[in-house]
């Protein structure tokens, strides 16, 4: 983990491309401050509920110390209403 927490918006979700074998869903977050893009997969989402994120959601994250193009410890800022999933 590197530096201070960043804030951004999820701008893209792909059903595959993340993880060691490329079989996990991957996401792209755009940093609010410098407009840079960072990739991550669902394993980096810190949550007590669903381990998924929708395009347009706001998140807080850290830039990976090992890979500066990757986000880690991604936290959803606006938790969705469960009825959206089970309605």
């Amino acid at each position: 983990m590197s530096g201070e927490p960043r804030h951004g918006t999820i701008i893209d979700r792909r059903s595959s491309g993340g993880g060691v074998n490329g079989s996990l869903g991957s996401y792209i977050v755009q940093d609010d401050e410098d407009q840079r893009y960072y990739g991550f997969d669902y394993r980096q989402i810190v949550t007590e509920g669903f381990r998924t994120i929708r395009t347009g959601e706001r998140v807080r994250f850290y830039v990976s110390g090992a890979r500066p193009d990757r986000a880690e410890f991604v936290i959803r800022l606006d938790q969705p209403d469960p009825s959206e999933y089970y309605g």
Side-chain angles (χ1 to χ4, degrees), residues 7-80:
H7 291 88
T9 303
I10 303 302
I11 61 161
D12 195 13
R13 181 188 183 283
R14 299 179 180 128
S15 58
S16 63
V20 176
N21 299 321
S23 60
L24 303 175
S26 63
Y27 303 87
I28 304 294
V29 59
Q30 184 175 23
D31 189 298
D32 287 346
E33 187 176 318
D34 63 14
Q35 304 303 304
R36 291 182 64 184
Y37 300 100
Y38 299 91
F40 65 97
D41 63 55
Y42 85 97
R43 296 172 301 175
Q44 294 301 323
I45 301 170
V46 179
T47 181
E48 293 180 11
F50 296 105
R51 204 171 260 243
T52 187
I53 291 180
R54 293 182 176 177
T55 302
E57 282 193 80
R58 301 234 338 105
V59 296
R60 184 173 67 229
F61 66 97
Y62 289 86
V63 175
S64 170
R67 292 189 53 198
D69 64 331
R70 303 291 293 172
E72 58 187 13
F73 301 106
V74 179
I75 300 170
R76 300 168 88 175
L77 296 178
D78 301 314
Q79 293 296 318

